[in-house]
Amino acid sequence: MRIPSPAHIMNKLRVGWFSFTCCEDSTILFTELLNTHWDAWKDKLEFVNARVLKTNRELKDLDISFVEGAISSEEHVKKLQDIRANSKVLVAIGACAVTAMPSGWRNTFDEKTKQEIQYLVDRFSHLPRVEPLSKFVKVDDVVPGCPMDENTFLAVLNKYIQSSHSGLDPESK
Amino acid sequence: MHTGNLDLTLDQITKIEGHATLSLKLRDGKVEELKFSIAEFKRFYTQAVRGKPILAVPQMVARICGTCSNAHLLCSIKTIEASQGIVPSRQTVLLRRLLNNGLIIRDHGLHLYIFSLPDVYQKDSIFDFEDTNPEQHELVHDAFAVKESGNQLAIWSGGRSVHAPSPTIGGFSTFPDESKKKDLIEKLQQARPRVLKLIKIFKDCSFNQIENFSFSGLQSPDYSLLDGDIIAADGGSVVPHDYANYLEHTVIPYSQASGYKFKGNTFMVGALARLNLSRQFLHPKTKIDAADALSVFPSKNIFHNNLAQAIEILHAIDESVDILNGLTILPEKPVTHPVKAGVGVGVIEAPRGTLYHRYEVDEKGIVQKARIIVPTGQNQIAIEQSLLHFVESHSDMEKEQLSFEFEKIVRAFDPCMSCASHFLKLKMT
């Protein structure tokens, strides 16, 4: 795992929050966590790319990207790879990002049902199967659960907040 | 100013639930093409529930949407109970209303404070509100306090504010902790003055776009969002069982969701429709304290959907405090009947409007067929028409400002793309 650059040490962590195919339940839980954690986070985190929170966003020099949802199309793959290329740490958030389920129900359909939906799969250029993030990019941490487990999320986030202040790779501790 | 030709693409409309895109082509000042597309990828839930036992279905369909999850959960349970002839107890009805009120407070709170308020204050994000400006500083705290009161109400009554684990067919599997009721009431009462402030902000807001849409929604004499008949602005009423017969399905080839018309008309569901049709049934305290804001209804201004949501938060608080004060919880078992074959229809008002589930269940309790119609699908044609009407009268607007206005219009409808894209009616085009 890469170490945060010196310029970012003691500065706010540049955070991105992204979603692909999912119900965004973890995004909602995250917005509810803000209710009670914003005061503690506002001097430590800068949300530079979060569609749910703001219009003006940049995909550059992100310290951590939290990515919710499964991957359904080639366009998703490219976007995910772009996020990965611009993020020091990438964390898979929730069951769909980690396992592709339950968004990947169609992976489990019998042949008859697959044929029934094929015209839509074709029309919108779906991938043959719905896939987890790790199929396409390196994932540094996972927060499983449907929705994500809040305590695991807080532990992962705190780990990176602390490591950014010490300048150490969290895994070297 | 542009010369009359303009190509505008918004590949990610922001501060809404889920993914949507928009594209516009103007030629010589005339709209050649305007497409509002729901860009979420389909997850085929209506196929996925086929062959599943009814006990598994409510939690499964709750995963259609994170923010509306408890609405899908309650609607699904209602649908299965209808198919099985199960009548829930009074306590169950009240606990479900509390869970739904928690959703209304939390979800409308998210939309109003996090998505829409920055537009009113000409900020990109609520996190850009200035700490040194007392009004803006306080509004950030209001946002979190109001949302948290709804969040805690849902956690208390359902076990979690997203995909609540306690509600089940016939009742609840676990019960709220009575000892925490007092704190919860206090939290709701503390949120109340903050909500009155929010109502005033949206009452005074100058955003205005008049549309001649029809309105419809479930109506009941106590403004319950979980029961009643469907009332339309033309005065007619429809029993929930027949609702789908009045909806005209429209395939929108470039969108991953279906559009609908009601009785052949472009229509709108959601808080504005509910306030237009049923404001007389709001909680008495809400009617007194929001009297000034209520005087603007009925309204055809689509931005009054924001004001209507703020008033509904107040109603949800007032009703919840009443219910909580009168509620003594008994650990009763869920009502059960031997499984039988049947068709169930469940209709409720989700935060964004009328939600319809219909399941066909066989004699073993296995779902054979499911149909789900969500509010954003019903509003999709109205959203696109509103965008078209705006650009037709503002074709000389600068591109950047037009993008901002387009997003503002879409946000006024508070669409939920996660819901809208995960169903399909199989109709080839």
Side-chain angles (χ1 to χ4, degrees), chain B residues 82-109:
Chain B
S83 79
Q84 301 298 304
I86 293 172
V87 179
S89 72
R90 177 73 183 149
Q91 174 175 293
T92 294
V93 169
L94 293 175
L95 285 175
R96 287 176 183 172
R97 279 175 80 147
L98 289 175
L99 181 64
N100 200 53
N101 283 346
L103 169 63
I104 290 287
I105 298 166
R106 182 190 65 67
D107 193 67
H108 284 355

Side-chain angles (χ1 to χ4, degrees), chain B residues 156-360:
Chain B
W156 184 83
S157 49
R160 192 164 55 202
S161 65
V162 173
H163 310 325
S166 304
T168 188
I169 300 164
F172 278 70
S173 57
T174 54
F175 295 95
D177 181 350
E178 284 265 16
S179 70
K180 293 183 177 166
K181 206 169 72 174
K182 196 173 154 226
D183 286 349
L184 188 58
I185 292 171
E186 212 171 279
K187 209 177 266 288
L188 289 164
Q189 284 171 331
Q190 284 169 357
R192 200 173 189 276
R194 297 179 190 267
V195 177
L196 289 170
K197 200 194 306 175
L198 186 71
I199 290 171
K200 185 166 183 343
I201 289 170
F202 282 105
K203 164 71 171 43
D204 294 343
C205 176
S206 61
F207 299 167
N208 185 40
Q209 183 164 330
I210 302 299
E211 294 288 354
N212 282 312
F213 299 142
S214 183
F215 295 96
S216 77
L218 211 56
Q219 185 180 81
S220 76
D222 54 359
Y223 209 87
S224 163
L225 302 181
L226 301 178
D227 287 300
D229 283 344
I230 291 150
I231 303 292
D234 65 8
S237 78
V238 174
V239 293
H241 198 275
D242 293 337
Y243 185 51
N245 298 333
Y246 291 85
L247 293 177
E248 184 188 318
H249 178 255
T250 307
V251 171
I252 302 170
Y254 45 85
S255 177
Q256 300 230 28
S258 298
Y260 292 90
K261 290 188 172 187
F262 180 63
K263 294 183 175 177
N265 298 316
T266 300
F267 74 122
M268 185 172 173
V269 295
L272 176 58
R274 293 190 291 258
L275 264 280
N276 277 346
L277 298 166
S278 305
R279 63 196 175 284
Q280 65 274 28
F281 298 123
L282 288 164
H283 191 280
K285 278 183 75 179
T286 306
K287 282 199 278 191
I288 291 168
D289 289 340
D292 183 42
L294 280 166
S295 67
V296 311
F297 297 98
S299 169
K300 292 180 174 182
N301 177 2
I302 56 168
F303 288 101
H304 280 153
N305 194 44
N306 292 331
L307 177 60
Q309 287 194 344
I311 294 169
E312 285 195 336
I313 295 179
L314 190 67
H315 168 81
I317 288 175
D318 289 339
E319 186 191 71
S320 299
V321 169
D322 275 3
I323 293 174
L324 287 164
N325 277 325
L327 188 65
T328 303
I329 295 164
L330 302 171
E332 58 186 24
K333 286 186 176 168
V335 179
T336 54
H337 285 331
V339 171
K340 64 174 186 181
V343 176
V345 170
V347 179
I348 68 164
E349 284 292 314
R352 293 166 179 78
T354 311
L355 174 63
Y356 170 98
H357 284 218
R358 181 184 184 276
Y359 310 145
E360 292 177 20

Side-chain angles (χ1 to χ4, degrees), chain B residues 115-132:
Chain B
F115 297 168
S116 292
L117 209 54
D119 292 341
V120 179
Y121 284 80
Q122 297 181 316
K123 301 280 183 189
D124 182 33
S125 164
I126 193 166
F127 301 127
D128 295 335
F129 279 35
E130 288 154 31
D131 253 354
T132 51

Side-chain angles (χ1 to χ4, degrees), chain A residues 19 23-25 28 31-32 35 38 51-53 55-57 103 116 119-120 123-124 126 146, chain B residues 12 14-19 41 43 47 50 63 66 106 115 124-125 127 147-148 163 424 426 429:
Chain A
S19 71
C23 74
E24 297 200 335
D25 53 1
I28 298 302
T31 64
E32 297 309 329
N35 299 342
W38 176 241
R51 178 187 49 76
V52 74
L53 297 176
T55 303
N56 298 323
R57 295 159 292 141
S103 283
E116 189 184 317
Y119 78 100
L120 284 166
R123 182 192 290 173
F124 294 106
H126 287 272
C146 183
Chain B
Q12 274 201 338
T14 59
K15 288 174 276 177
I16 56 170
E17 213 301 307
H19 299 263
F41 275 76
R43 294 181 297 159
Q47 274 73 27
R50 289 198 312 230
R63 268 69 184 175
R106 182 190 65 67
F115 297 168
D124 182 33
S125 164
F127 301 127
K147 271 167 20 68
E148 184 63 5
H163 310 325
L424 77 158
L426 285 169
T429 57

